[in-house]
Amino acid sequence: AQEDDYGEESYYSIVRYDDKAKANVEEILQHHWAANKTGLLQTRSEMRKFFNPYKMITMTSDDDTRGQLKRFYSAKAKAMTLIPPGLRKLLPTKQLFSNQYFKTCSVVGNSGILINSSCGAEIDAADFAFRCNFATVKGYEKDVGTKTDVITFNPSILDRFYGRLKKDTDKKSFEERLVSYGKYVLWIPIFSTHYVSRTVHEILEYFNLNFKRFTNVQLAFPGNILPDISDYWLTQAIDEERISTGLLMFNIAATICEEIHMYGFYPFPQFQETSIPYHYDDSRRNKTRNNYDYGYRRFHQLPDEFVLLKKLHKAGIVKLHLGKCP
Ligand code: CDP
């Protein structure tokens, strides 16, 4: 087990493409999908009883952070570093989504099911696109597209893949990654562990030094919002310590999108007759995990989330895309 950015211990176990998984996949593939706008609106208003993304999702320059930190997600996550005033004044003055709505949204997870999917064009055709965990787009354009309006960035990525930006080569590949997103907002969870707070400071300093602005960086408050989101999911019979980043993006999408399309959400090592890697960019896996095995799962239970997505799909609230795009 190792600690993640939320101060939680992750554990891994093998997920198999068993009969149950197979049956769920078949159900999805055989369903004739039709959008259910009323259902989505209903979901949105249910969620709004638990959290308000417009107020809670990102930090602005004039936020009183102490006021925001009323409840921590994890008992261990007690760190509460205030952003130094010099950096804080560079933060955006407006919340990430100030009453914006988008007709269609793509939410892109990182599953290997996207390989050879040819879904890139369809993903990019949406009005708004969410991606997770600084995912690769370069070299995968045909299958995953490039449009990136919001991309989540867990601070540990800076260590895991960019040597904390100490070497020039790491800086260069970090910058190339940023450029590959075009217009983007980096959505960084903050305020969970001391490690995260320190890293976030470093990232802010980096952007300040290199770009003299933070227009592309938003500090997110999942440390604050996650318990509320989990409370919502409890009402939907999803009992997870922490939902996955991908499902978290669905929560945000449900608030700002009129039609939600999800790609790359598939926790199983096999789809029909084809075996697939856990991530479409398999080089991005954490090389320190020597117990990496196909289909490991984190402390969030992706197979349970898959069943949830199946239900949402059948209800017309999201469209879950599996296999090839037309
Ligand atoms: O590391 P983490 O689970 O937060 O995310 P990731 O592996 O970078 O993938 C981003 C999101 O895609 C996850 O949070 C899941 O919601 C989804 N995903 C999935 O459904 N199936 C996979 N095989 C991989 C990711």
Side-chain angles (χ1 to χ4, degrees):
Q2 67 187 82
E3 262 193 25
D4 78 339
D5 290 57
Y6 297 83
E8 297 285 340
E9 281 190 351
S10 322
Y11 56 81
Y12 305 93
S13 61
I14 309 301
V15 175
R16 300 194 189 283
Y17 185 60
D18 55 13
D19 288 346
K20 201 175 137 213
K22 222 171 164 167
N24 283 324
V25 169
E26 283 308 312
E27 230 182 286
I28 292 166
L29 294 174
Q30 277 159 21
H31 179 74
H32 277 281
W33 192 83
N36 173 0
K37 293 212 159 130
T38 328
L40 180 54
L41 284 176
Q42 229 163 353
T43 304
R44 179 184 301 169
S45 67
E46 282 304 310
M47 282 181 187
R48 283 293 284 265
K49 293 180 190 156
F50 293 85
F51 59 92
N52 178 357
Y54 296 116
K55 287 225 168 93
M56 299 167 75
I57 217 87
T58 58
M59 183 173 171
T60 54
S61 50
D62 60 353
D63 265 328
D64 176 357
T65 51
R66 280 156 302 190
Q68 301 265 3
L69 293 169
K70 52 177 165 37
R71 189 176 164 206
F72 280 97
Y73 172 63
S74 155
K76 272 204 238 154
K78 292 239 164 55
M80 173 181 333
T81 313
L82 298 177
I83 302 297
L87 291 177
R88 175 204 276 248
K89 70 173 197 295
L90 298 168
L91 286 172
T93 51
K94 259 174 70 181
Q95 286 276 329
L96 184 50
F97 310 110
S98 15
N99 291 310
Q100 280 174 291
Y101 289 97
F102 301 91
K103 225 173 153 38
T104 53
C105 294
S106 297
V107 183
V108 188
N110 289 337
S111 161
I113 198 166
L114 282 168
I115 296 170
N116 294 327
S117 68
S118 301
C119 287
E122 204 179 295
I123 289 173
D124 284 356
D127 299 315
F128 198 93
F130 296 90
R131 294 180 196 271
C132 303
N133 294 332
F134 220 47
T136 318
V137 292
K138 205 169 164 225
Y140 295 85
E141 295 88 344
K142 193 166 174 288
D143 294 330
V144 310
T146 57
K147 185 174 170 58
T148 305
D149 293 284
V150 164
I151 182 135
T152 70
F153 185 93
N154 283 350
S156 64
I157 293 170
L158 210 63
D159 283 309
R160 281 165 55 193
F161 304 112
Y162 299 99
R164 242 186 152 79
L165 302 177
K166 288 206 176 83
K167 289 194 211 130
D168 282 347
T169 48
D170 287 329
K171 273 190 199 152
K172 195 164 165 262
S173 62
F174 183 71
E175 266 152 49
E176 279 170 4
R177 179 59 61 97
L178 291 175
V179 169
S180 73
Y181 298 135
K183 162 190 153 286
Y184 65 93
V185 163
L186 212 56
W187 197 78
I188 310 176
I190 187 176
F191 303 125
S192 49
T193 64
H194 285 292
Y195 163 77
V196 166
S197 297
R198 265 199 318 274
T199 313
V200 166
H201 283 189
E202 264 176 49
I203 296 169
L204 290 182
E205 269 155 19
Y206 171 86
F207 273 86
N208 185 28
L209 219 71
N210 291 279
F211 306 105
K212 296 272 173 270
R213 67 196 160 91
F214 291 167
T215 43
N216 293 111
V217 183
Q218 295 269 354
L219 300 181
F221 280 137
N224 197 28
I225 200 172
L226 276 176
D228 300 328
I229 293 181
S230 295
D231 286 352
Y232 165 74
W233 284 117
L234 263 180
T235 69
Q236 306 300 306
I238 289 281
D239 186 0
E240 283 190 301
E241 287 209 42
R242 184 174 79 78
I243 59 163
S244 76
T245 304
L247 192 58
L248 178 63
M249 291 300 107
F250 164 70
N251 280 273
I252 301 175
T255 319
I256 62 164
C257 306
E258 281 166 29
E259 195 174 298
I260 303 171
H261 293 256
M262 306 194 54
Y263 306 83
F265 286 82
Y266 192 78
F268 308 109
Q270 192 184 328
F271 175 69
Q272 295 177 320
E273 298 316 314
T274 318
S275 24
I276 49 165
Y278 186 75
H279 284 139
Y280 68 81
D281 179 0
D282 209 26
S283 68
R284 295 283 329 265
R285 72 188 148 97
N286 188 343
K287 303 227 168 50
T288 62
R289 274 179 205 148
N290 51 17
N291 66 343
Y292 178 88
D293 194 349
Y294 209 118
Y296 72 86
R297 60 180 172 179
R298 308 281 295 264
F299 54 93
H300 37 246
Q301 311 281 312
L302 290 188
D304 291 349
E305 289 189 10
F306 187 77
V307 173
L308 170 80
L309 291 176
K310 180 195 81 178
K311 285 187 198 147
L312 292 171
H313 176 85
K314 289 187 76 179
I317 293 167
V318 302
K319 183 161 183 187
L320 180 60
H321 294 259
L322 302 178
K324 277 198 185 301
C325 282

